[in-house]
Amino acid sequence: MTTPLSWLPLPASPGRAEDEPASGPDDQALDPVQLAALHRGRDAGEAAAGWVRELAGRQEDERHALALEHAAAGIERASHQEVIPGCDGQLAEELRYSLGADVLLGATYTGTLPELAPGERLPLVAVCALAAAMPSCVLGDLPRELTLLADELDAATTAGRAATTATGSAG
């Protein structure tokens, strides 16, 4: 397990070379409300990614499983490592791709769709879209916005898990 917000860059050391860029804020530079919101976003992202990994584990086609694994990793990264106060709030291109709505279509050129139960598609798109929106919270009222997105991410994950459970008990 990582320490709280261990992904945040450490402050520059006194021996840092002049041409090295200064690092971003650390835990001590954040107020307790911001810190709580960042932890909340991380926790919601981890829960959502766990559900998406369950979907990946059900796939017979390894290419679809890999696409869902990439989405799960993207959800974790976008809800945690990309939410850095003081940064530009932009989502990296590879994350935009892995969290795009085409996660529903699965891997390209397979001729098939991922195996998703009724009711799982909409929550899957929702968790990807909500995670993708999280980095932009650093540009506004981070605690309020990130907490709202984390709450909605939890709700989408809960709806997805409910659909997964309903299908598992019906089949």
Side-chain angles (χ1 to χ4, degrees), residues 3-39:
T3 59
L5 300 177
S6 60
W7 50 266
L8 286 173
L10 296 174
S13 64
R16 180 177 62 83
E18 297 253 357
D19 59 340
E20 287 182 40
S23 297
D26 64 4
D27 285 0
Q28 291 79 28
L30 300 172
D31 70 55
V33 176
Q34 286 180 318
L35 195 57
L38 290 166
H39 283 276

Side-chain angles (χ1 to χ4, degrees), residues 30-109:
L30 300 172
D31 70 55
V33 176
Q34 286 180 318
L35 195 57
L38 290 166
H39 283 276
R40 176 78 181 93
R42 180 200 61 208
D43 293 345
E46 287 176 355
W51 172 63
V52 174
R53 285 193 175 94
E54 290 174 24
L55 299 178
R58 284 199 331 240
Q59 303 303 309
E60 288 185 28
D61 188 320
E62 290 180 26
R63 298 168 292 180
H64 290 317
L66 187 58
L68 287 165
E69 284 288 342
H70 284 299
I75 291 165
E76 284 180 331
R77 184 172 158 196
S79 63
H80 181 55
Q81 295 159 315
E82 295 293 314
V83 186
I84 302 173
C87 288
D88 64 3
Q90 298 294 313
L91 193 63
E93 184 176 351
E94 76 272 7
L95 287 178
R96 283 194 309 269
Y97 178 76
S98 67
L99 297 175
D102 60 345
V103 70
L104 295 178
L105 303 175
T108 310
Y109 304 116

Side-chain angles (χ1 to χ4, degrees), residues 72-166:
I75 291 165
E76 284 180 331
R77 184 172 158 196
S79 63
H80 181 55
Q81 295 159 315
E82 295 293 314
V83 186
I84 302 173
C87 288
D88 64 3
Q90 298 294 313
L91 193 63
E93 184 176 351
E94 76 272 7
L95 287 178
R96 283 194 309 269
Y97 178 76
S98 67
L99 297 175
D102 60 345
V103 70
L104 295 178
L105 303 175
T108 310
Y109 304 116
T110 60
T112 62
L113 296 174
E115 296 172 32
L116 297 171
E120 288 178 334
R121 286 180 181 3
L122 186 57
L124 178 58
V125 170
V127 298
C128 289
L130 289 161
M134 288 178 150
S136 67
C137 292
V138 302
L139 302 175
D141 182 354
L142 179 111
R144 183 182 63 78
E145 293 172 11
L146 189 57
T147 300
L148 174 67
L149 289 176
D151 289 347
E152 293 301 321
L153 185 56
D154 277 341
T157 303
T158 298
R161 284 190 187 281
T164 300
T165 301

